[in-house]
Amino acid sequence: MNKIRWKWLNRGVALLVLVLASPLLAPQLLAFPYHARSGDFSVYSELPIDQAALDSVTEKSTALISASPLARPSEPRRVFLTAGGWRWNWLAFRFRNSFALSRPLTEPLIFNRSDLERDRMQAGAGGTAKRSLSGTIAHESCHGLIRREIGLDADWTKPAWLREGYCDFVARESAIDERRAAELRKTDPDHRALVYFDGRRRVAAELSRNGGDVRAIFAAY
C-alpha cells in the first residue's frame, strides 16, 4: 500500500476513534431527544420530561449537595437520563450494572433506568436494586466535588469505603437497608453494596468525631 493510501487510512481510523469516543466527553452527541433546565441543572433525557417532576428532583438534589462543605453556592451540572438501553450501554462500558456514573474533567452525570415522576431509578433490567434519582444525582455530583476539592486522583486512589461512603453520606441513602445488609453479610460478605453501606456509616462516625472536617478524613487515608 502506498504512502497516500496509508495516510488516508490513518486519517479514517483517527476519525472513527473520534466519532466513537466523543460521546464519552459530550454525551449530548448521542442525540438525547428531550432537554430541559431546572436550577443549575441542564437535563437531557431519552423520555419526555415533566418539568414539575424535574424541579422537585433537582430541588432535593441541590439541598443534599449544598449540605456538603465541599460544595459551592451555584454549580452548573449536566444530567443525562437514560432508559437503560443503547445510550446507557455505550456510555457506561464496564459499569453497565451501575446506577449511574460521572466522569472527570467535563463532569457529565449519566444515569441508568430513571423515573423522574417517582424520583426513582434502578440498576439493570431486573430492577432488584433501586435508589432515589435525587439521591443518586447527589451521590454522583459528590464524586465531582471530591475530584475538584480534594484532588483529581482522590476519587481513584482513596479507599472505596471512603469515596463511596462519603458520597452515600451526602446522598443520605444507600442501595440496601439494614435487613438486606444483614443478609449479604451471611451469603455474600464481599458484595460491593456493603462497601457503600458500611462506608457511609464509617464516614458518619468519623465526621462526628472530628467536627465534620471532610478534608481531614481524606487526608488521613
Side-chain angles (χ1 to χ4, degrees):
M1 186 179 292
N2 60 40
K3 292 183 177 180
I4 294 179
R5 288 181 179 178
W6 271 114
K7 177 180 178 181
W8 284 105
L9 178 61
N10 289 336
R11 287 182 177 179
V13 171
L15 180 60
L16 178 61
V17 170
L18 179 62
V19 169
L20 293 175
S22 56
L24 301 182
L25 295 177
Q28 64 269 26
L29 296 178
L30 293 184
F32 282 79
Y34 302 98
H35 176 251
R37 294 184 179 277
S38 179
D40 294 329
F41 295 88
S42 182
V43 180
Y44 300 81
S45 176
E46 285 194 47
L47 301 175
I49 298 173
D50 181 290
Q51 188 65 49
L54 175 61
D55 290 342
S56 176
V57 166
T58 58
E59 182 178 350
K60 294 175 186 175
S61 299
T62 299
L64 292 169
I65 297 165
S66 299
S68 170
L70 302 182
R72 294 177 182 176
S74 181
E75 298 181 83
R77 292 184 171 88
R78 293 180 303 142
V79 171
F80 298 86
L81 305 179
T82 81
W86 67 270
R87 288 181 178 85
W88 169 254
N89 290 331
W90 190 339
L91 295 169
F93 283 123
R94 64 188 179 93
F95 301 107
R96 291 177 182 178
N97 292 324
S98 301
F99 285 99
L101 57 91
S102 63
R103 288 201 170 88
L105 303 179
T106 56
E107 298 296 340
L109 309 178
I110 306 163
F111 298 84
N112 202 337
R113 298 169 184 269
S114 310
D115 186 336
L116 262 177
E117 285 73 17
R118 294 191 301 163
D119 186 17
R120 299 297 293 171
M121 65 174 307
Q122 66 185 56
T128 56
K130 298 180 180 180
R131 295 183 64 141
S132 72
L133 176 57
S134 54
T136 310
I137 290 174
H139 178 108
E140 294 304 326
S141 297
C142 185
H143 281 293
L145 299 183
I146 292 171
R147 288 190 285 263
R148 186 192 68 204
E149 298 296 326
I150 307 298
L152 185 60
D153 65 334
D155 200 40
W156 303 322
T157 60
K158 296 297 181 179
W161 71 262
L162 175 55
R163 293 180 284 109
E164 302 298 350
Y166 181 64
C167 291
D168 264 10
F169 176 82
V170 169
R172 298 184 186 176
E173 68 175 13
S174 297
I176 59 175
D177 56 18
E178 291 274 5
R179 180 188 61 79
R180 181 58 177 153
E183 291 175 355
L184 288 175
R185 292 190 207 287
K186 296 177 182 178
T187 61
D188 189 3
D190 295 324
H191 197 288
R192 185 161 177 79
L194 288 172
V195 175
Y196 291 63
F197 184 82
D198 293 337
R200 177 186 169 196
R201 287 184 160 190
R202 184 172 175 181
V203 166
E206 298 236 7
L207 287 175
S208 178
R209 282 194 293 268
N210 75 5
D213 191 337
V214 177
R215 288 178 173 81
I217 298 179
F218 278 88
Y221 294 94

